[in-house]
Amino acid sequence: MSEKCDICFRGCTLEEGRNGYCKVRTIKDGKNVSRSYGLISSAALDPIEKKPLALFEPGSYILSVGSYGCNLSCPFCQNHEISQNDLYSSCERVSAQELVRQALRLKAYDNIGIAFTYNEPLINYEFIRDTFELCKEHDLKTVLITSGAVNDCVLDEVLPLTDAWNIDLKSFTEKGYKDLKGDLESVKNCIVRASRVSHVEITTLVVPGRNDSAKEMEEEAKWIASINPDIPLHITRYFPRWKEKEEPTDIDKLKELEEIAKKYLNHVFLGNI
């Protein structure tokens, strides 16, 4: 039996024992399920500013957890060891209840809640939904760090439960997203929908030769401002990782793009400099 996956724009054909592009979605007992439900590859108590979230609970910490897999293939991925590999057999399995108990214990260290991050969390949305439902029962904040490249059926499940998002806007052209095997319209839809109900900040990693033109930044900043000029934008410096060998982003270029974005947005931050 096979089934077309409806989680993201890819629409992979899933079968029993055969995974989708993301390495996580598969068919089990005739249903589209996540292989990574409850599987954690990484965990840390991070400053909220590291997510990055500049205007959400500043000065606090958050229990940050990741699993494995991603539905994009960015050649400059900062966490490619977990996002681009099938780590099913090497992750620790935890329940949503155990994760929330750990978050509550960490309140003594200024922890405010749980953030799903490091890889693409939304391909494993069922575990996020179940964990965030418990977070709400215990007054814990809920945060997602995501590429946003998912369909409405996923957003419908997690939007009512999520307090804050940082969404990667990796390019503002269709070609830029095709080069990353992604889909710009999916990301824009996620930003629009999330900004209606949650705190949203956006990150653009500026990669030389890919998305560093003044024109592209101007169009991006205008579009974000059309939603809400108070949405923070993080313009972040790239460093060579995984398959991308370009030199790090020139700091003067970042400052030029910052000035362009500030013409339209009230909160612009430079990162990784």
Side-chain angles (χ1 to χ4, degrees), residues 15-168:
E15 299 176 359
E16 294 268 356
R18 180 180 176 183
N19 309 325
Y21 184 94
C22 64
K23 307 173 184 64
V24 165
R25 306 306 303 189
T26 193
I27 297 295
K28 184 176 181 180
D29 299 328
K31 295 182 179 180
N32 180 348
V33 299
S34 167
R35 296 171 67 234
S36 63
Y37 186 97
L39 295 182
I40 302 300
S41 68
S42 310
L45 185 62
D46 285 336
I48 196 73
E49 289 83 2
K50 190 177 178 181
K51 298 304 89 193
L53 288 170
L55 301 183
F56 180 79
E57 303 289 339
S60 64
Y61 288 79
I62 193 158
L63 175 59
S64 302
V65 295
S67 185
Y68 72 92
C70 188
N71 58 342
L72 301 183
S73 293
C74 305
F76 44 79
C77 180
Q78 305 296 291
N79 294 315
H80 63 92
E81 297 90 350
I82 62 173
S83 69
Q84 301 300 320
N85 290 293
D86 189 335
L87 302 182
Y88 178 84
S89 61
S90 57
C91 290
E92 179 181 354
R93 186 176 296 278
V94 300
S95 68
Q97 292 83 358
E98 289 169 329
L99 199 55
V100 169
R101 283 197 292 270
Q102 179 65 5
L104 290 170
R105 285 193 288 268
L106 289 170
K107 274 193 168 185
Y109 300 92
D110 296 326
N111 179 48
I112 61 169
I114 296 175
F116 284 96
T117 179
Y118 303 139
N119 71 304
E120 175 47 60
L122 290 177
I123 55 177
N124 185 25
Y125 77 91
E126 296 96 333
F127 187 61
I128 292 171
R129 177 198 61 208
D130 295 349
T131 303
F132 281 4
E133 285 177 348
L134 289 173
C135 285
K136 292 301 179 184
E137 294 177 11
H138 294 279
D139 196 30
L140 292 168
K141 299 296 184 183
T142 55
V143 173
L144 283 173
I145 315 302
T146 174
S147 70
V150 292
N151 290 337
D152 281 330
C153 60
V154 174
L155 297 179
D156 290 344
E157 295 283 337
V158 298
L159 273 171
L161 300 167
T162 307
D163 293 312
W165 301 63
N166 187 291
I167 302 171
D168 286 330

Side-chain angles (χ1 to χ4, degrees), residues 245-261:
K245 307 302 181 186
E246 287 286 340
E247 291 296 312
T249 323
D250 181 73
I251 293 177
D252 287 339
K253 167 58 74 171
L254 288 178
K255 291 179 178 178
E256 173 193 342
L257 299 179
E258 177 190 26
E259 290 306 309
I260 292 169

